[in-house]
Structure formats: C-alpha cells, structure tokens
Amino acid sequence: MSSWYMLTVVGEDRPGIVAGVTAALFKGGCNLGEASMMRLGGSFTIMLMVELGGSDDVLQQLVEPVARSLGLHVHIDSIEGQLHRHREPDVSITVYGADKTGIVARVTAVLAEAGLHILELESDVAGNRENPVYVMHIEGYAEKSIDLLRSALKVVECDGIEVSLEAVDTMIG
Amino acid sequence: MVELEILTYPDQRLKQVSPPVRQFGEELRVFIARLEFTMRGSPGGVGIAAPQVGYFQRIVIVDVSAKPKIPGHGRMVLVNPEILSWEGMTRGREGCMSVPDFTGNVMRAERITMTAFDEEGNLQEYLCEGYEARAVQHEIDHLDGLLFLDRLVSRHTDLFRRKKYDNKICNYSA
C-alpha cells in the first residue's frame, strides 16, 4: 500500500538540486507526481508529490543525505492528494503596478469575495531597488461568474494598479 | 452509428506524418461521417483529425459553432488542407482528446488563410481567425504527427510575450 506525500525543499540556489533530490527518490523506489520547482530570490524551491510504499520517516531518510550535502531544508506532509485531479482554469488575471505593501492582499480579497478559486499564482518584483514594480499572474476558476470578477477588479484599478482579466476558453481538439 | 476509438498518446502512431487523400468518393464520405460523429460525441470537442482515430490520411473536421459568441465558418471538412499565410501570434489554452487530463498554453497564429478540399473534392478557400484558427492549426498539426505538447510555452514566456504583443492574448471568448 503506497501513500502520497508533499515534499517541500528549500535551499540556496545552485546547480544540481533537482538532479540530486530526484535521484535519491528514484533510488529509494519513489514515484513522482505533479511538481512546482523554481528559483525565488536566491533560493531554489521544490514542491513535489512523492508516492512511496513507506512512512514519512522512510522518505525523510531517503532525502537526508542529499539535503545535507546540498544544504537543503526539507519538509514532508502526508497528503490525501491523488493524480488526475486537475481543475481547468476559466480565467486569467494579470496585475501590475508600483510595488507597495498590500497589493496581493487587496486584490485577492476582492477576487475571493467575488468567487475566484485560485489555481495558480506567480508573482515577481521587477524594476529596480528605487522603483520596484510588482507583477502577478493568476489563473483560476470563477465559482460565480467572470463578469462578477471583472467588476470586482474595477475597485482596485482605481488605486493605480493595472489589472487585466481574460476569459480562458480551452480549445479541445 | 458507432464512435471510432480515439488513439491516445503515448501511442506512437500519433507521431507519424499522414499522406494526402488521393481519392474522393463514397468510402471517404462514410469515413468523414463517422469521424464527425466521433468528434460530436466528445464533450467540448471542436475539432478532430483523422490520425486521432488511426486513419492516416490528411482529413480534419472543425466546428466551433457550439461555442457561444465565437465567430467561425460552422462545420468545416478539410481534406488535404494547406495553410497559405499566418498572421499575428496569440497564446491560448489547448487540450486534446488524444492527451487526456492535461491542458496547456500554446502560441498560434491569430489569422490564417488556407485552402482545402471539401468532402466532394471541391477546392475551397478560408480565412480563419482567433479560436477557429487555433482549432484548425491544432488539427493540421495532427496530420504532421505533432501534438500540442510539442508546442507548449511556459507561463513565464507568457508574461514576456505580453510585453511584446499588446494585441489580445488568449481572449477567445470575448
């Protein structure tokens, strides 16, 4: 009987982190599922679904040597998740503006109120130290209606934040 | 009528190039009817290519008329289609009956002109735009052994593209 775990790995970015971690998992008989891996700031981050016929302690022991040698911090959660549970986004939202505290909280609050279910969110700070520009891209699912999300965003647009919302209509061929 | 079986990746037959149709007639019409029946039996399907049902000839059907507010030609049977010109690039989300449980973003031309024979063997010309142009390009790719997986773009690419192209991106239902 195998179980799924969410393996979180964070460490100072350097070449070989993905190869090192996944090789250790492969040698330990793990099956890998969906993942998000990226450099954020100077750190490299991994969120990875791992399937294993053993406990979280076994998984911890598998990644311990590579984590130690590459200076990685590891966290493991037992999850109920499974593969093939994708949910299709029907709306794509981009937000940008002069970086100031509270943009994310403000925008996501009005969107949540209007029924947005966020499936993915990526954000970045562009510009330079003197004039930082915040850029955020969201893909999500409108639990109520896209028009409701559109009118909700009008409120935050007045604050000097640029917002664009586009319906996503997936073409199935 | 019985739906044809859809081949799904990693079936390597989906990766082959299909030769053109040489003969028009009853056999072709019967096949096209079954291909269309199969497309209409797939939830949300707006297009289908013959190789998806294991018939390796250059035949495509596209019909986006089930989508509200999207302009198009209605039912198009495209035999030996040839795209003559491409204009503009836009990002849009695609899925495929041959690649279940996965969708992704693909760059496609916004407008294409094309010739194709209809099921009777008459040469037709088309100008397709937006969502319909996307469907046509997706289906013609199948004739060349290409899946949308071969053309995926990363999310970061999207953000950079947005800076370069200020025309509508992904706005197929507006």
Side-chain angles (χ1 to χ4, degrees):
Chain A
M1 177 67 187
S2 62
S3 310
W4 281 101
Y5 300 94
M6 190 64 75
L7 174 69
T8 309
V9 178
V10 180
E12 189 181 337
D13 191 22
R14 57 190 282 182
I17 294 176
V18 177
V21 171
T22 56
L25 295 170
F26 174 63
K27 284 182 195 145
C30 298
N31 178 35
L32 308 186
E34 296 166 28
S36 155
M37 307 191 192
M38 62 174 64
R39 181 183 160 104
L40 297 174
S43 300
F44 194 77
T45 68
I46 298 178
M47 299 280 289
L48 173 62
M49 284 175 70
V50 178
E51 188 182 31
L52 175 66
S55 69
D56 52 353
D57 286 341
V58 174
L59 183 53
Q60 184 78 45
Q61 283 160 22
L62 283 177
V63 292
E64 189 116 323
V66 66
R68 203 179 315 115
S69 73
L70 295 175
L72 306 170
H73 179 78
V74 171
H75 177 80
I76 295 167
D77 288 296
S78 181
I79 55 169
E80 291 297 315
Q82 290 290 332
L83 297 178
H84 310 295
R85 283 193 179 177
H86 293 121
R87 182 145 197 200
E88 287 308 313
D90 63 4
V91 64
S92 161
I93 298 165
T94 300
V95 178
Y96 71 89
D99 193 20
K100 53 185 173 187
T101 53
I103 295 182
V104 184
R106 182 149 172 69
V107 172
T108 55
V110 298
L111 289 171
E113 178 74 17
L116 179 70
H117 180 158
I118 294 177
L119 301 172
E120 281 183 27
L121 187 153
E122 277 188 321
S123 70
D124 219 326
V125 181
N128 54 36
R129 208 177 283 272
E130 290 72 37
N131 293 300
V133 175
Y134 187 77
V135 184
M136 174 165 69
H137 181 72
I138 299 173
E139 295 206 335
Y141 181 81
E143 299 280 1
K144 295 170 187 166
S145 83
I146 291 176
D147 283 342
L148 206 56
L149 297 176
R150 201 172 268 128
S151 31
L153 285 172
K154 289 222 181 342
V155 180
V156 288
E157 266 180 318
C158 306
D159 299 344
I161 304 170
E162 304 286 338
V163 182
S164 63
L165 177 150
E166 286 157 344
V168 175
D169 192 350
T170 303
M171 196 289 295
I172 307 289
Chain B
M1 200 179 287
V2 182
E3 283 177 29
L4 299 161
E5 189 191 342
I6 302 271
L7 303 186
T8 55
Y9 189 77
D11 192 319
Q12 288 303 306
R13 287 176 291 173
L14 288 164
K15 301 297 290 176
Q16 72 187 63
V17 178
S18 295
V21 170
R22 297 280 179 217
Q23 203 168 350
F24 290 85
E26 185 57 20
E27 194 183 324
L28 181 68
R29 273 194 295 274
V30 168
F31 169 72
I32 287 171
R34 292 190 70 191
L35 186 65
E36 183 173 355
F37 185 76
T38 306
M39 178 186 85
R40 298 201 188 280
S42 308
V46 296
I48 194 167
Q52 289 182 277
V53 298
Y55 192 88
F56 300 99
Q57 298 257 290
R58 301 186 79 81
I59 306 163
V60 158
I61 302 173
V62 170
D63 186 352
V64 301
S65 59
K67 293 277 178 181
K69 294 193 255 175
I70 288 178
H73 292 83
R75 174 185 181 273
M76 289 194 292
V77 173
L78 309 171
V79 179
N80 301 344
E82 296 279 350
I83 297 179
L84 305 176
S85 67
W86 293 259
E87 195 188 325
M89 292 298 280
T90 60
R91 176 182 65 101
R93 204 171 183 94
E94 298 185 17
C96 184
M97 290 180 268
S98 297
V99 186
D101 195 39
F102 184 79
T103 64
N105 290 322
V106 179
M107 299 297 293
R108 300 281 188 189
E110 166 70 13
R111 275 172 298 282
I112 55 169
T113 57
M114 162 180 69
T115 59
F117 294 92
D118 63 22
E119 57 210 300
E120 307 300 329
N122 303 307
L123 190 64
Q124 309 283 349
E125 278 187 47
Y126 300 92
L127 166 64
C128 297
E129 296 187 302
Y131 192 89
E132 186 182 57
R134 173 170 299 278
V136 167
Q137 292 168 84
H138 175 113
E139 300 310 337
I140 290 178
D141 266 357
H142 279 298
L143 308 181
D144 294 320
L146 291 171
L147 300 171
F148 78 102
L149 300 176
D150 295 305
R151 298 193 187 273
L152 288 177
V153 292
S154 78
R155 288 177 299 239
H156 245 84
T157 313
D158 305 342
L159 286 175
F160 286 119
R161 301 263 185 193
R162 277 164 185 270
K163 289 173 189 165
K164 285 183 196 160
Y165 303 103
D166 58 3
N167 60 347
K168 36 181 186 166
I169 294 173
C170 188
N171 197 9
Y172 297 101
S173 66

